[in-house]
Amino acid sequence: MTTSRISGFYNMTLDGRRAKIAEALAPLTPPDLGAWTSGGISAEAADHMIENVVGMHSLPLGIALNFMVNGKDVLVPMTLEEPSVVAGASFMAKLARAGGGYQATTTDPLMIGQMQVINVTNLNEAKLKIYEQKAELLAEADSIDPILKKFGGGARDLEVRIFDNSPIGGFLVVHLIYDVRDAMGANAVNTACERLAPKIEAITGGKVHLRILSNLADRRIARARCTIPVKSLAFDNFSGESVRDGIIAAYAFAAVDPYRAATHNKGIMNGVDSVVIATGNDWRAIEAGAHAYAVKNGHYTSLSTWGKDTEGNLVGTLEMPMAVGIVGGATKVHPAAQAAVKLMGVKTANELAEIIVSVGLAQNMAALRALATEGIQRGHMSLHARQVAIAAGATGEQVEKVAAQMVAEKVVRIDRAEEILKSL
Ligand code: MEV
């Protein structure tokens, strides 16, 4: 099976879903699936990852269906605690399929390393002296990581910026632009900056203070676009046109108001972070990059845009930094993360970034569609109702029955759940 459309997945048992996934993508082995059953790592393995370990903390892992990215079907693993997110992404991906799915692109995986140079007598002179030595400095940085170089990565550029009015007076900032290929890149970039520091000091006569990568990874951008046929947006009493215009008006709100943009972008990050976490990547880095990028024009705004094409179809775009890797860190050592990468069949970090940005766009549309029509609570209510039914003692098929009746009655309370349960 090569499609990401699996009918009835929602209603299958846990084991049934696992079997379906294994069948969907041949390379997934029993140990891969086992990593998801157990959570992936033992406390002993965790003890080697961070300090003062006392145990483990699990999150649910769900699979988003229906995604087609650049013409290829993909099942997307999502790790998060919030209900409605996986269902929302899957449903929007289904609508997007009718318009060809998601078209996604990435820049080269260029990360920025920063070196802060203080105690410089003449900032302008020092800046030009660094540029005069640029070729030598880049060659030095390039020689640090032969493996990365073998795979086509390495130092690409050097830029010097002057800050002449900081709280400590003037200083220089040297940016090292580094192609990190399939790595997240923090280690490679930090190592390169530390290696260049003495040379920068010798050239400038100053002192290199901080040497660290920037999470505003604005040279490493992922972009996704989708077209949703206006007809497919219609549901209940809402016409396709009204849903489309509602989504566009909701986007306009986020475009102009930072208070709304923060929540709008949070909805995007619901999708983005959950795939980032499932693949063992650093979601704080992605969050930092996303929000810093959202303010790149001087005011905090939406990372996505929504409008229409000449035929009146809904068109969405999303553009954001995406510093994710597939070869190092937790992605490499965490079997559950390895299984997630395998499930998506990605061979490069850029392919992973293209899927993640597509999921972010789908998630954003799910939120805007709900907010612009029936409101967010209805979808939440049915999931909440299932939790209330379970709390009232419902098990197996009873859960769905009790929840459905409470939603139909618009009374989602434990006492009502208990009554319905008795009557079954
Ligand atoms: C909730 O996790 C995310 C939303 O608030 C996003 C949005 O408002 O666009 C629903």
Side-chain angles (χ1 to χ4, degrees):
M1 187 160 62
T2 53
T3 178
S4 60
R5 301 203 59 180
I6 307 177
S7 68
F9 196 67
Y10 179 79
N11 289 320
M12 288 175 190
T13 60
L14 277 170
D15 281 341
R17 291 195 200 115
R18 287 185 192 124
K20 206 74 192 166
I21 289 296
E23 172 191 320
L25 280 154
L28 230 53
T29 60
D32 295 328
L33 292 166
W36 285 343
T37 318
S38 68
I41 48 170
S42 61
E44 287 68 33
D47 201 20
H48 297 298
M49 290 176 86
I50 64 163
E51 309 74 38
N52 299 353
V53 169
V54 292
M56 305 293 294
H57 177 132
S58 299
L59 286 171
L61 170 75
I63 306 293
L65 307 178
N66 305 320
F67 272 89
M68 188 160 82
V69 178
N70 294 335
K72 210 171 132 200
D73 273 41
V74 60
L75 291 167
V76 186
M78 299 178 81
T79 299
L80 86 165
E81 84 300 344
E82 187 173 329
S84 299
V85 169
V86 177
S90 302
F91 186 32
M92 296 310 114
K94 190 168 165 188
L95 296 184
R97 285 179 86 87
Y102 295 87
Q103 269 66 48
T105 53
T106 36
T107 61
D108 278 339
L110 299 178
M111 295 299 285
I112 299 168
Q114 296 195 291
M115 286 161 277
Q116 179 194 20
V117 196
I118 58 175
N119 303 342
V120 175
T121 310
N122 185 323
L123 295 173
N124 292 308
E125 181 196 33
K127 172 177 160 174
L128 267 62
K129 279 186 169 173
I130 294 172
Y131 278 126
E132 287 157 26
Q133 303 291 318
K134 182 169 146 175
E136 290 80 358
L137 289 164
L138 285 179
E140 169 82 16
D142 210 30
S143 67
I144 294 168
D145 194 330
I147 309 269
L148 197 55
K149 189 132 181 72
K150 194 176 114 200
F151 286 105
R156 291 289 180 267
D157 205 359
L158 208 74
E159 289 164 359
V160 188
R161 301 154 73 219
I162 290 180
F163 290 90
D164 50 15
N165 197 18
S166 85
I168 58 152
F171 59 81
L172 290 178
V173 174
V174 182
H175 276 189
L176 172 65
I177 316 295
Y178 214 85
D179 186 324
V180 298
R181 289 289 103 192
D182 294 321
M184 185 274 182
N187 277 333
V189 169
N190 293 340
T191 306
C193 287
E194 291 191 5
R195 179 74 76 89
L196 287 193
K199 294 211 154 46
I200 301 276
E201 288 181 345
I203 294 167
T204 60
K207 175 177 161 36
V208 174
H209 190 46
L210 301 196
R211 300 147 296 170
I212 185 76
L213 107 161
S214 170
N215 286 125
L216 176 49
D218 64 358
R219 306 293 183 93
R220 193 179 192 180
I221 298 293
R223 301 182 171 94
R225 175 177 69 80
C226 66
T227 303
I228 317 287
V230 65
K231 278 197 190 77
S232 65
L233 288 168
F235 72 101
D236 291 351
N237 293 325
F238 298 101
S239 69
E241 285 75 11
S242 72
V243 176
R244 176 199 64 200
D245 294 343
I247 290 174
I248 295 171
Y251 152 65
F253 185 3
V256 297
D257 177 13
Y259 285 91
R260 173 58 205 153
T263 325
H264 175 102
N265 290 340
K266 192 272 183 183
I268 293 172
M269 301 313 283
N270 277 343
V272 168
D273 285 342
S274 54
V275 189
V276 170
I277 295 170
T279 55
N281 275 289
D282 180 347
W283 71 93
R284 287 88 57 213
I286 300 297
E287 282 281 340
H291 297 291
Y293 194 69
V295 78
K296 70 179 190 305
N297 294 330
H299 73 281
Y300 186 87
T301 187
S302 166
L303 288 165
S304 64
T305 71
W306 291 95
K308 54 186 174 183
D309 67 10
T310 47
E311 273 112 60
N313 300 313
L314 179 69
V315 177
T317 69
L318 174 59
E319 174 178 312
M320 59 185 292
M322 196 56 72
V324 288
I326 57 167
V327 292
T331 310
K332 192 78 191 161
V333 298
H334 198 306
Q338 282 284 295
V341 171
K342 221 167 168 185
L343 177 72
M344 288 184 279
V346 292
K347 297 281 175 277
T348 65
N350 274 357
E351 278 178 58
L352 175 60
E354 286 162 7
I355 293 171
I356 295 174
V357 75
S358 301
V359 176
L361 186 57
Q363 208 68 62
N364 181 218
M365 182 180 155
L368 298 191
R369 175 184 170 277
L371 289 167
T373 56
E374 59 192 11
I376 209 78
Q377 284 308 83
R378 201 182 109 174
H380 276 213
M381 246 335 143
S382 49
L383 284 148
H384 176 57
R386 294 170 77 197
Q387 277 158 7
V388 171
I390 293 167
T395 53
E397 287 178 2
Q398 292 172 335
V399 177
E400 241 5 273
K401 283 188 185 149
V402 174
Q405 190 166 335
M406 285 195 293
V407 170
E409 293 172 0
K410 295 197 171 66
V411 181
V412 183
R413 282 200 323 256
I414 191 136
D415 56 328
R416 184 61 193 135
E418 283 164 356
E419 279 168 21
I420 300 170
L421 197 56
K422 271 194 206 127
S423 72
L424 286 181

